[in-house]
C-alpha cells in the first residue's frame, strides 16, 4: 500500500500546502508512515489495496485541515519567500560578482608593481582595504538576508543579531587588511554556518551553497599548499605575493560562482504575501 | 466525541498516553481509541500538529528510527511533560467535578 497512487496523491497535495515549513519533508514522511501503517492494518482485515489506501486517507482527515493546523502551528519555522528574498538575492549576485574583480585587481597591481621595479605596497593595501570592506560587507548582507528572509533555522532576532555582529566585525577587520586571518576566518565561519543552516532548512540550490561554504576553506588550503611549496618571490615584508594572489583567486572564484548561484535562485522565487498563504 | 470538543483536551490526552512509554503517532492514536472505547474520534492526521506543538513546548521529545526499512518518529514524554500532565489532570478533575455538580447534582431551589 506504500506506493499506492491514492496515498502518493494525498501526500503530494499535503506537500504542496506545507512546503513553506522548514521541516516539511519530515512532516510528510511522518504522515506517510501513518498512512502506510493504517493501510497495512486495513489489508490484514481483508480489504484490497485500493480500499485500504482509501480508508487510511479517510481516517487521516482532509489535507486542508491538516495543512491549516501545520501552517498555523504556534512557533513553527517557515521558509517562505518574501519581497526581501529578492533583495537578498540581488545583493548576493552583486557581492559574488565583485570577488573576481577584487582578485583581478590584486594581480594587476602586482604586475604593475613588478614592471615599475619598486615596491608600492601602500596604495595597493589602501585600495584593498576599501574594496574588501565593501565586498565583505555586501557578502555579509547577502547571507544575512538569506538567513533572515528564509528563516533557515534561525529566529528572526537571532538572524538580525548575527548579521549585525558579523558585518560590524568584518568592517572593523577590513580596516586592517593585514589581519587577513581574522577577517578571512570570520567570513569563512559565517559562510559555512549560514550555508549549513540553509542546507538544513531545505534551500534548493545546494550546489551553490556548497561552493559558497567551500570558498574560504579552499582558499586557506591553497595558501597552505603553495606557501609550503614556496611558490613565487618574497617581498620586503617577507610575504609571498603570488601565493596570496592565487589564494585570493581560488576563494574569489568559488565565492563568485556560489554567491551568484544562490542569488539567482533567490531572485527567481516568487514572493508569497501573507494574504496569499496557501491556507 | 467530536473533534472540536476533543480539541481542548488533546494535549492532556496525548501526554497521558505517552506517560505509559514512548510511542509513534499511529500507536498513540490506537491507544487513545482503545482506551476511550472508541469514544474519541478525530481526524488522525491532526494529532501530528499537536505532537509537534508539545515538542516545541518541551513537553515531549522525538527521535527518528528505522523499523523494517521505514522511517518512523517516536515520541516520549519529558520530565517537564510529566509535571505539566499532573497539573492538567488536577485542573481537569476540578473542572469535571464542577460540571458534574451542575449537570448532575441537586436541583437549585426556585425563588418563585
Amino acid at each position: 500500500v506504500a506506493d499506492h497512487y491514492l496515498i502518493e496523491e494525498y501526500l503530494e497535495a499535503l506537500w504542496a500546502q506545507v512546503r513553506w515549513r522548514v521541516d516539511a519533508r519530515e512532516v510528510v514522511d511522518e504522515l506517510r508512515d501513518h498512512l502506510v501503517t493504517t493501510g497495512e492494518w486495513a489489508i490484514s482485515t481483508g480489504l484490497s489495496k485500493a480500499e485500504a489506501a482509501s480508508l487510511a486517507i479517510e481516517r487521516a482527515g482532509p489535507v486542508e485541515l491538516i495543512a491549516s493546523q501545520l501552517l498555523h502551528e504556534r512557533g513553527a519555522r517557515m521558509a517562505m519567500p518574501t519581497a526581501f528574498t529578492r533583495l537578498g538575492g540581488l545583493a548576493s549576485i552583486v557581492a559574488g560578482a565583485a570577488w573576481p574583480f577584487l582578485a583581478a585587481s590584486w594581480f594587476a597591481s602586482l604586475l604593475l608593481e613588478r614592471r615599475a621595479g619598486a615596491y608600492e605596497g601602500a596604495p595597493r593595501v589602501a585600495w584593498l582595504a576599501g574594496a574588501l570592506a565593501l565586498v565583505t560587507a555586501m557578502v555579509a548582507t547577502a547571507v544575512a538576508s538569506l538567513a533572515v528572509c528564509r528563516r533557515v533555522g534561525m529566529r528572526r532576532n537571532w538572524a538580525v543579531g548575527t548579521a549585525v555582529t558579523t558585518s560590524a566585525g568584518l568592517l572593523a577587520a577590513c580596516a586592517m587588511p593585514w589581519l587577513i586571518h581574522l577577517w578571512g576566518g570570520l567570513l569563512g565561519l559565517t559562510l559555512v554556518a549560514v550555508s549549513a543552516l540553509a542546507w538544513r532548512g531545505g534551500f534548493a540550490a545546494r550546489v551553490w551553497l556548497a561552493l559558497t561554504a567551500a570558498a574560504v576553506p579552499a582558499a586557506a588550503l591553497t595558501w597552505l599548499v603553495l606557501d609550503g611549496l614556496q611558490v613565487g618571490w618574497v617581498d620586503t615584508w617577507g610575504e609571498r605575493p603570488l601565493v596570496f594572489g592565487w589564494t585570493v583567486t581560488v576563494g574569489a572564484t568559488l565565492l563568485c560562482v556560489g554567491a551568484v548561484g544562490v542569488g539567482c535562485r533567490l531572485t527567481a522565487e516568487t514572493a508569497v504575501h501573507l494574504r496569499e498563504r496557501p491556507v | 466525541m467530536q473533534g472540536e470538543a476533543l480539541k481542548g483536551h488533546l494535549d492532556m490526552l496525548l501526554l497521558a498516553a505517552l506517560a505509559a512509554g514512548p510511542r509513534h503517532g499511529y500507536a498513540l492514536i490506537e491507544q487513545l481509541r482503545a482506551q476511550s472505547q472508541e469514544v474519541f474520534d478525530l481526524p488522525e492526521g491532526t494529532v501530528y500538529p499537536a505532537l509537534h506543538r508539545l515538542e516545541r513546548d518541551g513537553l515531549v521529545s522525538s527521535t527518528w528510527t528505522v523499523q523494517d526499512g521505514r522511517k518512523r518518529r517516536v515520541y516520549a514524554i519529558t520530565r517537564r511533560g510529566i509535571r505539566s500532565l499532573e497539573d492538567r489532570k488536577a485542573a481537569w478533575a476540578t473542572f469535571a467535578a464542577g460540571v458534574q455538580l451542575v449537570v448532575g447534582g441537586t436541583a437549585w431551589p426556585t425563588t418563585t
Side-chain angles (χ1 to χ4, degrees), chain A residues 130-251:
Chain A
L132 287 174
L134 180 67
V135 174
T136 49
M138 288 184 76
V139 170
T141 307
V143 294
S145 300
L146 178 68
V148 171
C149 52
R150 294 193 65 83
R151 301 188 210 172
V152 283
M154 277 187 182
R155 302 274 180 220
R156 186 181 288 268
N157 52 347
W158 278 99
V160 171
T162 305
V164 170
T165 308
T166 308
S167 298
L170 284 169
L171 284 168
C174 288
M176 298 171 286
W178 54 89
L179 291 179
I180 186 170
H181 298 98
L182 178 65
W183 66 257
L186 195 58
L187 179 64
L189 282 175
T190 306
L191 291 174
V192 169
V194 175
S195 298
L197 284 170
W199 184 295
R200 181 172 164 266
F203 184 57
R206 293 195 157 182
V207 174
W208 313 123
L209 282 178
L211 288 174
T212 306
V216 175
L221 189 65
T222 303
W223 184 84
L224 282 172
V225 170
L226 295 184
D227 197 56
L229 294 173
Q230 299 185 334
V231 172
W233 69 95
V234 178
D235 66 13
T236 50
W237 287 355
E239 303 284 350
R240 293 182 181 278
L242 205 56
V243 171
F244 190 66
W246 280 115
T247 300
V248 172
T249 302
V250 168

Side-chain angles (χ1 to χ4, degrees), chain A residues 114-131:
Chain A
R114 294 283 289 171
R115 182 170 288 184
Y119 187 78
E120 297 289 345
R124 189 178 70 199
V125 168
W127 183 89
L128 275 175

Side-chain angles (χ1 to χ4, degrees), chain B residues 32-51:
Chain B
L32 285 180
R33 181 178 286 122
Q35 279 191 311
S36 71
Q37 297 178 348
E38 304 198 2
V39 169
F40 299 148
D41 182 24
L42 76 167
E44 294 174 357
T46 60
V47 166
Y48 293 99
L51 285 167

